[in-house]
Amino acid sequence: MSSATAIEWPEGASGFGRLRLRFRAWRRTRPFWGGLLAVIAGLPIVYFPYADLQLGQLTVTMATTAGAGSLLIGLLMMTLGVTAWFQPLVRIFCGVAVTILSLVSIPVSNLGGFGLGLILGLFAGGLLCSWAPLKPSAVQVDEAVPSTSAEYSAEPGQTVSIPAQAEPPAESVPAESVPAESASAEQSAADPGERR
């Protein structure tokens, strides 16, 4: 059983259990992991240009003129990740934008936050672009389906997938309903030699 097919509200769930299940139901309907990676990828891109790193007795300051560009790229990546959570229809735009911003962060933001923001951003862009909503599940049959065909009948509680309806075959017109004039015209056209 995957998280996509789990029962939404099992009996006897506690307050924390219900909250966890509610979050899981919310998470399944949107590109959650791609958005989370985009938010996490923006953090090192924003942090390293403004950080003072200590290497033993040596203080390394990364403040450069690219600090404003790094701040802009990192905040945009985080914003796109959150946008993909709350507006799943724009997930492809967000994924492409996160991928482009990750690549732009290589020259602008210290090799993309020393590679951390770059790698996470590329994964986030791919996850956002490839996510698709779940297809509707099969029809749950509560009562037996009355049908003359064996392929559509089911027992109570059995899951049945109903195929798309095909076009009904064209019915031929019975001979009795054809007018007499048109029947004689067809016979005379068929046998021109017998007409007198």
Side-chain angles (χ1 to χ4, degrees):
M1 177 186 313
S2 70
S3 64
T5 59
I7 300 170
E8 192 168 339
W9 302 112
E11 293 181 24
S14 64
F16 177 73
R18 283 185 179 258
L19 183 63
R20 184 180 60 85
L21 292 174
R22 187 172 295 186
F23 174 72
R24 184 173 63 184
W26 177 82
R27 186 192 62 187
R28 289 186 331 196
T29 60
R30 57 206 71 243
F32 178 76
W33 296 111
L36 182 65
L37 282 180
V39 170
I40 294 172
L43 292 175
I45 292 174
V46 169
Y47 175 72
F48 286 127
Y50 297 104
D52 290 332
L53 302 175
Q54 295 284 348
L55 298 174
Q57 298 295 326
L58 182 64
T59 301
V60 179
T61 303
M62 303 296 292
T64 62
T65 56
S70 299
L71 180 67
L72 184 64
I73 289 171
L75 288 178
L76 276 174
M77 286 177 73
M78 289 187 260
T79 303
L80 288 167
V82 172
T83 301
W85 284 345
F86 295 103
Q87 295 293 328
L89 293 177
V90 296
R91 67 189 181 274
I92 295 175
F93 168 76
C94 291
V96 170
V98 166
T99 303
I100 291 172
L101 287 172
S102 297
L103 294 173
V104 168
S105 73
I106 294 172
V108 172
S109 177
N110 302 319
L111 298 173
F114 296 118
L116 294 174
L118 170 69
I119 300 292
L120 289 175
L122 291 176
F123 277 117
L127 286 173
L128 288 171
C129 288
S130 66
W131 182 84
L134 290 173
K135 294 180 180 176
S137 61
V139 178
Q140 181 74 343
V141 178
D142 292 332
E143 298 176 7
V145 178
S147 175
T148 58
S149 174
E151 67 179 347
Y152 295 118
S153 62
E155 297 298 321
Q158 181 183 2
T159 303
V160 176
S161 296
I162 300 175
Q165 293 289 334
E167 290 288 322
E171 296 181 12
S172 60
V173 179
E176 299 89 35
S177 64
V178 177
E181 297 94 22
S182 64
S184 63
E186 289 176 5
Q187 288 176 353
S188 63
D191 297 325
E194 291 190 17
R195 194 171 44 170
R196 292 184 191 188

